[in-house]
Every structure is written in structure tokens, then in C-alpha cells.
Amino acid sequence: NAGVTQTPKFRILKIGQSMTLQCTQDMNHNYMYWYRQDPGMGLKLIYYSVGAGITDKGEVPNGYNVSRSTTEDFPLRLELAAPSQTSVYFCASIETGTNSPLHFGNGTRLTVT
Amino acid sequence: KQEVTQIPAALSVPEGENLVLNCSFTDSAIYNLQWFRQDPGKGLTSLLLIQSSQREQTSGRLNASLDKSSGRSTLYIAASQPGDSATYLCARNTGGFKTIFGAGTRLFVKA
């Protein structure tokens, strides 16, 4: 099992550009999450999904969009990049209905200038 | 507001020392409490998960405890090693889809 895979690892965007952060998992987990981590802060939830076709907003959804067309993939879309979106983005998944730990990808480090 | 607080923010110890990392949370409603390790430039790796009905969990040199009544969890690391240097995060799950993270404790173990 590869677990949770995120691409790209690094990206630099100019203000106003758009991009998609990719996330895929091969553990057949229904619940998937997108978090952002800013220096010295805990992880903040952006969006989550409880299954294919179902998504919902987390704490900090403004400026982002997601889709969940399959169980495996949960891409995060930035439409008009802003400097405030400079952060490290983590995708995670969990096996539902059990006391199981979150599984994280290695993150995407995004800089918006 | 649901919060998770970790103290200290940073800690430096000599190799071989036993140490305790602290995590406190508001609201005693809890489904489980997880401790994660994060190495620079990497994602989070789950170390221990304590279910609401449990008081502690152990894995090797690591022991995590949970006291719901006081809203506290501790991670005890025995005989610390330079390889233990990392950031340690605790996270509280209240059931369902939400997990609230602390900001982490950055640990440096000196050889």
C-alpha cells in the first residue's frame, strides 16, 4: 500500500493563478480531509468528504474548492491564489466506524507571491 | 470554542533523559486522543491513539495517558535519543469527522 499520496511536493504560484493539489489513497477509506498548516499553528481543516460525491466545508474553506468523484481521489482546487494561501497542505484519510488513526500524505508546500 | 493546547512549544533535552509532553483540551467530550510525530518536510505519523474508554497506551519507549475529567493527555518518552527529535502533535477527536490539532511541541534531543 502506498497510503496517501500527494502531488506536487512544492509549487510557487503568482497571485491570481490557479492550481489543483492532488490527493489519492489506496486504503479504500471513505473519509478524506484537506488541512493547511501554518508555522507555529495547528492544522486547520479546509474541506472534508465522507464518501464519493459528498463534500463539506471545514474551518477555513474560503478560496478553495474540492470534488470527490471516486473513493480514491480528493483534489483541492485554488482558483485565484492569494499570498494568504501560502502554507503547507496536507491530505489525510481515515477508516470510518472504528477508532483508527488518521493517515497523512507528505504534504504540498505552496508559496504564492 | 474547542481548543487543544500543547506545552511547552519547544523542548531541548540531553540524550537519555526521560521527558513528558503535555496536551490539554477544552470540553471533556472526546472520542479518542491521538499523538502524532512530524519530521521536517514530512507528513504526520500516528504514534498512539487512546480511545475514550482507555486511560493509556504504550508503544516501545512511548506511553500516552488520557485524563478526560481534567482535559489532559501526556506523552512520556523514556530514554530519549537524537532520533526522537521531531515535532509532536496531539489531536482530539470528538466523534464523526472532526479532529482538532494542537500546535505541537518541537523536541530536540542532544547527543
Side-chain angles (χ1 to χ4, degrees):
Chain A
N1 282 351
V4 179
T5 303
Q6 291 184 240
T7 57
K9 293 184 179 179
F10 305 95
R11 185 73 185 266
I12 298 174
L13 285 181
K14 295 187 184 304
I15 294 172
Q17 287 186 321
S18 63
M19 76 164 294
T20 299
L21 283 67
Q22 301 291 345
C23 175
T24 187
Q25 52 91 8
D26 61 359
M27 297 171 284
N28 201 34
H29 289 171
N30 281 323
Y31 282 22
M32 295 187 73
Y33 306 82
W34 274 105
Y35 291 93
R36 60 177 287 172
Q37 184 179 37
D38 299 309
M41 308 289 287
L43 279 71
K44 300 294 185 186
L45 181 64
I46 306 171
Y47 270 95
Y48 67 97
S49 169
V50 299
I54 306 170
T55 63
D56 208 344
K57 297 178 181 179
E59 297 174 80
V60 289
N62 291 344
Y64 307 95
N65 276 299
V66 293
S67 60
R68 185 91 182 273
S69 57
T70 66
T71 298
E72 294 78 20
D73 299 309
F74 189 40
L76 177 71
R77 178 83 176 163
L78 283 71
E79 291 293 350
L80 292 170
S84 61
Q85 293 178 307
T86 294
S87 188
V88 181
Y89 292 84
F90 289 102
C91 179
S93 71
I94 191 170
E95 182 180 3
T96 56
T98 65
N99 263 300
S100 296
L102 279 164
H103 295 260
F104 280 84
N106 281 333
T108 294
R109 185 175 295 274
L110 175 67
T111 302
V112 182
T113 61
Chain B
K1 181 179 179 183
Q2 300 174 357
E3 291 188 350
V4 176
T5 304
Q6 291 188 247
I7 295 173
L11 180 64
S12 180
V13 300
E15 182 178 6
E17 190 163 299
N18 302 326
L19 59 101
V20 174
L21 306 181
N22 296 294
C23 173
S24 61
F25 45 90
T26 57
D27 192 341
S28 59
I30 187 168
Y31 187 65
N32 63 53
L33 192 292
Q34 298 181 57
W35 283 92
F36 294 87
R37 170 183 174 139
Q38 185 176 27
D39 293 290
K42 299 291 186 180
L44 281 69
T45 300
S46 180
L47 296 172
L48 291 166
L49 182 151
I50 311 174
Q51 299 179 30
S52 176
S53 59
Q54 298 173 326
R55 293 295 301 271
E56 63 178 352
Q57 282 286 328
T58 299
S59 176
R61 294 182 293 108
L62 305 179
N63 176 276
S65 66
L66 174 63
D67 185 341
K68 291 187 296 181
S69 62
S70 65
R72 294 179 185 274
S73 176
T74 61
L75 179 66
Y76 174 83
I77 302 177
S80 58
Q81 303 171 358
D84 295 331
S85 298
T87 298
Y88 292 81
L89 296 92
C90 68
R92 167 175 162 260
N93 186 296
T94 58
F97 54 84
K98 283 192 173 177
T99 299
I100 310 296
F101 286 83
T105 294
R106 185 178 296 178
L107 174 65
F108 180 64
V109 181
K110 298 172 288 186

Short mmCIF file of all heavy atoms in Angstrom, two decimals, chain A residues 31 33 35 37 40-43 48 90 98-102 104-106 109, chain B residues 31-32 34 36 38 41-44 46 49 51 89 96-97 99 101-103:
data_model
loop_
_atom_site.label_atom_id
_atom_site.label_comp_id
_atom_site.label_asym_id
_atom_site.label_seq_id
_atom_site.Cartn_x
_atom_site.Cartn_y
_atom_site.Cartn_z
N TYR A 31 -13.57 8.46 4.49
CA TYR A 31 -13.36 9.83 4.96
C TYR A 31 -12.01 10.35 4.48
O TYR A 31 -10.97 9.71 4.69
CB TYR A 31 -13.39 9.90 6.48
CG TYR A 31 -14.77 9.86 7.10
CD1 TYR A 31 -15.86 9.35 6.44
CD2 TYR A 31 -14.96 10.36 8.39
CE1 TYR A 31 -17.11 9.32 7.03
CE2 TYR A 31 -16.20 10.34 8.99
CZ TYR A 31 -17.28 9.81 8.31
OH TYR A 31 -18.51 9.80 8.89
N TYR A 33 -9.71 14.26 4.05
CA TYR A 33 -9.62 15.61 4.59
C TYR A 33 -8.51 16.40 3.90
O TYR A 33 -7.52 15.83 3.48
CB TYR A 33 -9.28 15.57 6.09
CG TYR A 33 -10.19 14.73 6.94
CD1 TYR A 33 -10.01 13.36 7.03
CD2 TYR A 33 -11.22 15.32 7.67
CE1 TYR A 33 -10.85 12.59 7.82
CE2 TYR A 33 -12.06 14.55 8.46
CZ TYR A 33 -11.86 13.19 8.53
OH TYR A 33 -12.69 12.43 9.31
N TYR A 35 -6.13 19.65 5.07
CA TYR A 35 -5.72 20.56 6.13
C TYR A 35 -4.65 21.51 5.58
O TYR A 35 -3.92 21.17 4.66
CB TYR A 35 -5.09 19.82 7.31
CG TYR A 35 -6.02 18.97 8.12
CD1 TYR A 35 -6.19 17.62 7.83
CD2 TYR A 35 -6.70 19.50 9.21
CE1 TYR A 35 -7.03 16.82 8.59
CE2 TYR A 35 -7.54 18.71 9.99
CZ TYR A 35 -7.70 17.38 9.67
OH TYR A 35 -8.52 16.60 10.44
N GLN A 37 -1.34 23.84 7.20
CA GLN A 37 -0.53 24.03 8.39
C GLN A 37 0.34 25.26 8.20
O GLN A 37 1.19 25.30 7.31
CB GLN A 37 0.35 22.80 8.66
CG GLN A 37 1.16 22.90 9.95
CD GLN A 37 2.00 21.66 10.20
OE1 GLN A 37 2.55 21.07 9.29
NE2 GLN A 37 2.09 21.25 11.47
N GLY A 40 3.94 27.38 13.39
CA GLY A 40 3.56 27.57 14.79
C GLY A 40 2.09 27.36 15.09
O GLY A 40 1.65 27.63 16.21
N MET A 41 1.35 26.89 14.11
CA MET A 41 -0.09 26.70 14.31
C MET A 41 -0.44 25.23 14.15
O MET A 41 0.27 24.47 13.51
CB MET A 41 -0.87 27.52 13.26
CG MET A 41 -0.48 28.97 13.19
SD MET A 41 -1.02 29.90 14.62
CE MET A 41 -2.76 30.00 14.29
N GLY A 42 -1.57 24.87 14.71
CA GLY A 42 -2.08 23.53 14.47
C GLY A 42 -2.65 23.42 13.07
O GLY A 42 -2.72 24.40 12.34
N LEU A 43 -3.04 22.24 12.71
CA LEU A 43 -3.63 22.05 11.39
C LEU A 43 -5.06 22.58 11.39
O LEU A 43 -5.83 22.36 12.33
CB LEU A 43 -3.65 20.57 11.03
CG LEU A 43 -2.35 19.98 10.48
CD1 LEU A 43 -1.29 19.88 11.57
CD2 LEU A 43 -2.60 18.63 9.85
N TYR A 48 -13.68 18.50 3.87
CA TYR A 48 -13.65 17.07 4.11
C TYR A 48 -14.72 16.39 3.26
O TYR A 48 -15.62 17.03 2.71
CB TYR A 48 -13.84 16.75 5.60
CG TYR A 48 -15.21 17.08 6.14
CD1 TYR A 48 -16.19 16.11 6.25
CD2 TYR A 48 -15.51 18.37 6.57
CE1 TYR A 48 -17.44 16.40 6.74
CE2 TYR A 48 -16.75 18.68 7.06
CZ TYR A 48 -17.73 17.69 7.16
OH TYR A 48 -18.97 17.99 7.65
N PHE A 90 -1.93 19.44 3.70
CA PHE A 90 -1.90 18.01 3.96
C PHE A 90 -3.26 17.39 3.66
O PHE A 90 -4.30 17.92 4.03
CB PHE A 90 -1.56 17.71 5.42
CG PHE A 90 -0.13 17.99 5.77
CD1 PHE A 90 0.21 19.15 6.45
CD2 PHE A 90 0.87 17.11 5.42
CE1 PHE A 90 1.53 19.42 6.77
CE2 PHE A 90 2.19 17.37 5.74
CZ PHE A 90 2.51 18.53 6.41
N THR A 98 -14.44 3.10 13.13
CA THR A 98 -13.53 2.46 14.08
C THR A 98 -12.67 3.53 14.73
O THR A 98 -12.58 4.65 14.26
CB THR A 98 -12.58 1.46 13.39
OG1 THR A 98 -11.73 2.18 12.49
CG2 THR A 98 -13.36 0.41 12.63
N ASN A 99 -12.04 3.20 15.81
CA ASN A 99 -11.06 4.09 16.44
C ASN A 99 -9.72 3.90 15.74
O ASN A 99 -8.79 3.32 16.29
CB ASN A 99 -10.93 3.77 17.93
CG ASN A 99 -11.77 4.69 18.78
OD1 ASN A 99 -11.56 5.90 18.75
ND2 ASN A 99 -12.71 4.12 19.49
N SER A 100 -9.66 4.39 14.53
CA SER A 100 -8.43 4.23 13.74
C SER A 100 -7.74 5.57 13.59
O SER A 100 -8.38 6.61 13.61
CB SER A 100 -8.77 3.69 12.36
OG SER A 100 -9.32 2.39 12.45
N PRO A 101 -6.42 5.55 13.43
CA PRO A 101 -5.70 6.81 13.30
C PRO A 101 -5.85 7.42 11.91
O PRO A 101 -6.13 6.72 10.93
CB PRO A 101 -4.24 6.40 13.54
CG PRO A 101 -4.18 4.97 13.09
CD PRO A 101 -5.52 4.39 13.45
N LEU A 102 -5.65 8.73 11.84
CA LEU A 102 -5.58 9.42 10.58
C LEU A 102 -4.30 9.04 9.84
O LEU A 102 -3.24 8.91 10.46
CB LEU A 102 -5.59 10.93 10.80
CG LEU A 102 -6.93 11.62 11.03
CD1 LEU A 102 -6.71 13.00 11.60
CD2 LEU A 102 -7.72 11.69 9.75
N PHE A 104 -1.77 10.40 6.89
CA PHE A 104 -1.45 11.63 6.21
C PHE A 104 -0.53 11.40 5.01
O PHE A 104 0.32 10.49 5.01
CB PHE A 104 -0.73 12.60 7.15
CG PHE A 104 -1.64 13.33 8.08
CD1 PHE A 104 -2.05 12.76 9.27
CD2 PHE A 104 -2.11 14.59 7.75
CE1 PHE A 104 -2.90 13.43 10.12
CE2 PHE A 104 -2.96 15.27 8.60
CZ PHE A 104 -3.36 14.70 9.78
N GLY A 105 -0.70 12.27 3.99
CA GLY A 105 0.28 12.37 2.94
C GLY A 105 1.46 13.21 3.40
O GLY A 105 1.45 13.75 4.52
N ASN A 106 2.47 13.34 2.55
CA ASN A 106 3.68 14.09 2.92
C ASN A 106 3.57 15.59 2.70
O ASN A 106 4.50 16.33 3.00
CB ASN A 106 4.89 13.55 2.16
CG ASN A 106 5.42 12.27 2.79
OD1 ASN A 106 5.25 12.03 3.97
ND2 ASN A 106 6.02 11.43 1.97
N ARG A 109 3.98 21.94 -0.29
CA ARG A 109 4.39 23.27 0.18
C ARG A 109 4.12 24.28 -0.92
O ARG A 109 4.74 24.23 -1.99
CB ARG A 109 5.86 23.28 0.56
CG ARG A 109 6.34 24.59 1.17
CD ARG A 109 7.80 24.48 1.63
NE ARG A 109 7.93 23.51 2.71
CZ ARG A 109 7.76 23.79 3.99
NH1 ARG A 109 7.45 25.02 4.36
NH2 ARG A 109 7.92 22.86 4.91
N TYR B 31 -13.82 11.36 21.70
CA TYR B 31 -13.96 10.02 21.13
C TYR B 31 -12.62 9.29 21.21
O TYR B 31 -12.55 8.14 21.57
CB TYR B 31 -14.45 10.15 19.69
CG TYR B 31 -14.78 8.85 19.02
CD1 TYR B 31 -15.84 8.06 19.47
CD2 TYR B 31 -14.07 8.42 17.91
CE1 TYR B 31 -16.17 6.88 18.84
CE2 TYR B 31 -14.39 7.23 17.27
CZ TYR B 31 -15.44 6.48 17.74
OH TYR B 31 -15.75 5.30 17.12
N ASN B 32 -11.56 9.99 20.82
CA ASN B 32 -10.22 9.49 21.03
C ASN B 32 -9.22 10.64 21.01
O ASN B 32 -9.54 11.75 20.60
CB ASN B 32 -9.83 8.41 20.00
CG ASN B 32 -9.81 8.94 18.57
OD1 ASN B 32 -9.15 9.93 18.26
ND2 ASN B 32 -10.52 8.24 17.69
N GLN B 34 -5.18 11.38 19.85
CA GLN B 34 -4.06 10.81 19.12
C GLN B 34 -2.81 11.65 19.32
O GLN B 34 -2.88 12.87 19.40
CB GLN B 34 -4.38 10.76 17.62
CG GLN B 34 -5.57 9.88 17.27
CD GLN B 34 -5.82 9.85 15.78
OE1 GLN B 34 -4.94 9.50 15.00
NE2 GLN B 34 -7.02 10.23 15.38
N PHE B 36 0.83 12.38 17.36
CA PHE B 36 1.49 12.25 16.07
C PHE B 36 2.92 12.76 16.18
O PHE B 36 3.23 13.63 16.99
CB PHE B 36 0.78 13.08 14.99
CG PHE B 36 -0.60 12.62 14.64
CD1 PHE B 36 -1.69 13.07 15.37
CD2 PHE B 36 -0.82 11.75 13.58
CE1 PHE B 36 -2.97 12.66 15.05
CE2 PHE B 36 -2.09 11.34 13.25
CZ PHE B 36 -3.17 11.79 13.98
N GLN B 38 5.88 14.52 13.64
CA GLN B 38 6.10 15.15 12.35
C GLN B 38 7.57 15.51 12.21
O GLN B 38 8.11 16.30 12.98
CB GLN B 38 5.24 16.42 12.18
CG GLN B 38 5.35 17.03 10.80
CD GLN B 38 4.45 18.23 10.61
OE1 GLN B 38 4.09 18.92 11.56
NE2 GLN B 38 4.04 18.47 9.38
N GLY B 41 9.49 18.69 6.84
CA GLY B 41 9.17 18.42 5.45
C GLY B 41 8.36 17.18 5.20
O GLY B 41 8.19 16.76 4.05
N LYS B 42 7.86 16.60 6.27
CA LYS B 42 7.10 15.35 6.13
C LYS B 42 5.67 15.52 6.67
O LYS B 42 5.34 16.50 7.33
CB LYS B 42 7.79 14.22 6.90
CG LYS B 42 9.19 13.90 6.41
CD LYS B 42 9.18 13.26 5.05
CE LYS B 42 10.56 12.81 4.65
NZ LYS B 42 10.57 12.18 3.31
N GLY B 43 4.87 14.50 6.40
CA GLY B 43 3.52 14.48 6.95
C GLY B 43 3.54 13.98 8.39
O GLY B 43 4.59 13.76 8.98
N LEU B 44 2.36 13.82 8.95
CA LEU B 44 2.23 13.37 10.32
C LEU B 44 2.12 11.84 10.36
O LEU B 44 1.40 11.25 9.55
CB LEU B 44 0.97 13.97 10.96
CG LEU B 44 1.04 15.41 11.44
CD1 LEU B 44 1.16 16.39 10.27
CD2 LEU B 44 -0.17 15.74 12.30
N SER B 46 1.09 8.71 12.88
CA SER B 46 0.41 8.40 14.14
C SER B 46 1.30 7.54 15.03
O SER B 46 1.86 6.53 14.59
CB SER B 46 -0.90 7.66 13.84
OG SER B 46 -1.58 7.36 15.04
N LEU B 49 -2.89 6.07 19.80
CA LEU B 49 -4.29 6.50 19.82
C LEU B 49 -4.92 5.94 21.08
O LEU B 49 -4.85 4.73 21.33
CB LEU B 49 -5.04 6.01 18.58
CG LEU B 49 -6.51 6.42 18.43
CD1 LEU B 49 -6.88 6.51 16.96
CD2 LEU B 49 -7.44 5.46 19.14
N GLN B 51 -8.39 5.53 23.06
CA GLN B 51 -9.83 5.62 22.95
C GLN B 51 -10.42 6.23 24.22
O GLN B 51 -9.78 6.23 25.28
CB GLN B 51 -10.42 4.22 22.72
CG GLN B 51 -9.94 3.56 21.45
CD GLN B 51 -10.52 2.18 21.27
OE1 GLN B 51 -11.64 1.91 21.72
NE2 GLN B 51 -9.78 1.30 20.62
N LEU B 89 2.59 16.31 17.90
CA LEU B 89 1.27 16.95 17.93
C LEU B 89 0.25 16.02 18.57
O LEU B 89 0.28 14.80 18.33
CB LEU B 89 0.79 17.32 16.53
CG LEU B 89 1.60 18.36 15.76
CD1 LEU B 89 2.65 17.71 14.89
CD2 LEU B 89 0.67 19.21 14.89
N GLY B 96 -17.25 11.37 14.77
CA GLY B 96 -17.60 11.87 13.45
C GLY B 96 -16.38 12.26 12.66
O GLY B 96 -15.37 11.58 12.66
N PHE B 97 -16.41 13.43 12.05
CA PHE B 97 -15.36 13.78 11.10
C PHE B 97 -14.35 14.79 11.62
O PHE B 97 -13.38 15.08 10.95
CB PHE B 97 -16.02 14.37 9.86
CG PHE B 97 -16.93 15.52 10.17
CD1 PHE B 97 -16.43 16.81 10.32
CD2 PHE B 97 -18.29 15.33 10.33
CE1 PHE B 97 -17.25 17.87 10.62
CE2 PHE B 97 -19.13 16.39 10.62
CZ PHE B 97 -18.61 17.67 10.77
N THR B 99 -11.39 16.40 13.78
CA THR B 99 -10.23 16.22 14.65
C THR B 99 -9.58 17.57 14.84
O THR B 99 -9.26 18.26 13.87
CB THR B 99 -9.23 15.23 14.03
OG1 THR B 99 -9.87 13.95 13.88
CG2 THR B 99 -8.01 15.07 14.92
N PHE B 101 -6.42 19.79 16.22
CA PHE B 101 -4.99 19.61 16.48
C PHE B 101 -4.43 20.71 17.37
O PHE B 101 -4.84 21.87 17.28
CB PHE B 101 -4.22 19.63 15.16
CG PHE B 101 -4.37 18.39 14.34
CD1 PHE B 101 -5.47 18.22 13.53
CD2 PHE B 101 -3.42 17.39 14.41
CE1 PHE B 101 -5.63 17.07 12.78
CE2 PHE B 101 -3.57 16.22 13.67
CZ PHE B 101 -4.67 16.06 12.86
N GLY B 102 -3.46 20.33 18.19
CA GLY B 102 -2.64 21.32 18.87
C GLY B 102 -1.55 21.82 17.93
O GLY B 102 -1.34 21.27 16.85
N ALA B 103 -0.84 22.87 18.37
CA ALA B 103 0.20 23.46 17.54
C ALA B 103 1.50 22.66 17.57
O ALA B 103 2.39 22.88 16.75
CB ALA B 103 0.46 24.91 17.96
#
